[in-house]
C-alpha cells in the first residue's frame, strides 16, 4: 500500500517517475489499459521471461506481487482523481518528494516480507549472474533499458526519473534498519 502510494504520487507529480513506472505510463498513453494493468502485464512477461532464461519454474508469488502492485497503483490514482489534486509547480514537487519517500519506505517494508522478489529484482540477479556485474551495474542496465523503452512510448520521463533512480535507494537504506527493528519487535 505504501509503495503504490509513492508510485501514484510520482505519477501525478508530472515530473517523472521511476524508469519502470515511466514505461508503464508510456504504455498506458500509447495503448490504453490502466497503468496498474500494465504493471501486471509487464510483471507477468518478466516472470515468465526470467523463468525461460533460467530454465526453471516461474516464480508465481512474483506474479501476485505484480498483481497487488498494479491494483494498488490504479486504486491510488482513482482516489487522487476523485479528490482533485492541487496544481502548480510547488504541488508537483511536494507530490514527487512524498512519492519518493513513500516509495523508499514501501520497498524497505516489502524487502522484509521474504516472499519471491519482484520481477525486476529477479531480472537484476539474472543479469548479475550471466554478466558477472555487480548489482549496481545490473540495475543500472535495467533502468537504462526501461528509460529507452519509456522514451519510445511517450513515458513519464523527467527530473523525477533521475531522482527516483538516484534517491530512492538512499531512502531504502535509511528506512531499512527501522523497518527491520520494527519487524523483530513485532515477531517477539
Amino acid at each position: 500500500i505504501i509503495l503504490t502510494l509513492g508510485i501514484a504520487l510520482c505519477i501525478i507529480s508530472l515530473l517523472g517517475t521511476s524508469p519502470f513506472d515511466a514505461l508503464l505510463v508510456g504504455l498506458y498513453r500509447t495503448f490504453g489499459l490502466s497503468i496498474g494493468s500494465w504493471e501486471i502485464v509487464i510483471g507477468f512477461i518478466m516472470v515468465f521471461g526470467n523463468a525461460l532464461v533460467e530454465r526453471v519454474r516461474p516464480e508465481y508469488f512474483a506474479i501476485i506481487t505484480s498483481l497487488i502492485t498494479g491494483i494498488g497503483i490504479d486504486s491510488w490514482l482513482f482516489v487522487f482523481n476523485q479528490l482533485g489534486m492541487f496544481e502548480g509547480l510547488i504541488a508537483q514537487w511536494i507530490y514527487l518528494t512524498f512519492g519518493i519517500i513513500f516509495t523508499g519506505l514501501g520497498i524497505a517494508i516489502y524487502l522484509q516480507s521474504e516472499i519471491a522478489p519482484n520481477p525486476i529484482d529477479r531480472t537484476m540477479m539474472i543479469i548479475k549472474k550471466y554478466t558477472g556485474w555487480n548489482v549496481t551495474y545490473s540495475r543500472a542496465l535495467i533502468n537504462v533499458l526501461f528509460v529507452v523503452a519509456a522514451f519510445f512510448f511517450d513515458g513519464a520521463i523527467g527530473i523525477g526519473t533521475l531522482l527516483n533512480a538516484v534517491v530512492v535507494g538512499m531512502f531504502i537504506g535509511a528506512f531499512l534498519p527501522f523497518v527491520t527493528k520494527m519487524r523483530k519487535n513485532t515477531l517477539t
Side-chain angles (χ1 to χ4, degrees):
I1 292 171
I2 294 171
L3 170 61
T4 58
L5 172 60
I7 293 169
L9 284 168
C10 289
I11 291 169
I12 66 169
S13 79
L14 302 177
L15 294 173
T17 63
S18 73
F20 181 68
D21 298 325
L23 174 60
L24 300 179
V25 172
L27 291 169
Y28 158 73
R29 290 175 178 168
T30 304
F31 299 109
L33 291 177
S34 68
I35 296 168
S37 296
W38 282 112
E39 162 78 31
I40 296 165
V41 169
I42 300 299
F44 185 85
I45 290 168
M46 290 183 76
V47 165
F48 283 93
N50 290 340
L52 285 173
V53 169
E54 290 281 282
R55 294 187 176 107
V56 296
R57 287 184 43 207
E59 292 179 291
Y60 295 109
F61 281 116
I63 294 172
I64 294 170
T65 302
S66 292
L67 182 68
I68 292 169
T69 304
I71 291 169
I73 293 168
D74 282 349
S75 297
W76 283 116
L77 291 174
F78 175 79
V79 167
F80 291 143
N81 188 41
Q82 296 303 309
L83 290 176
M85 303 304 290
F86 295 107
E87 295 183 17
L89 191 57
I90 293 172
Q92 288 177 289
W93 277 100
I94 291 170
Y95 297 146
L96 181 63
T97 301
F98 279 101
I100 289 171
I101 292 168
F102 285 132
T103 298
L105 177 59
I107 292 171
I109 293 169
Y110 166 73
L111 290 173
Q112 295 298 308
S113 68
E114 298 179 5
I115 60 173
N118 68 38
I120 297 169
D121 291 338
R122 176 59 67 208
T123 303
M124 175 183 65
M125 297 310 290
I126 290 171
I127 291 171
K128 178 183 179 295
K129 176 181 173 183
Y130 287 106
T131 64
W133 295 350
N134 64 26
V135 172
T136 303
Y137 291 136
S138 299
R139 186 58 170 238
L141 174 64
I142 293 169
N143 284 339
V144 167
L145 293 174
F146 283 141
V147 168
V148 169
F151 175 79
F152 286 110
F153 290 110
D154 188 31
I157 301 169
I159 187 68
T161 308
L162 178 62
L163 289 174
N164 262 282
V166 174
V167 178
V168 167
M170 291 188 295
F171 280 106
I172 295 168
F175 286 127
L176 206 50
F178 170 74
V179 172
T180 303
K181 182 179 178 184
M182 199 168 99
R183 180 172 183 254
K184 287 180 183 177
N185 290 340
T186 304
L187 294 176
T188 55

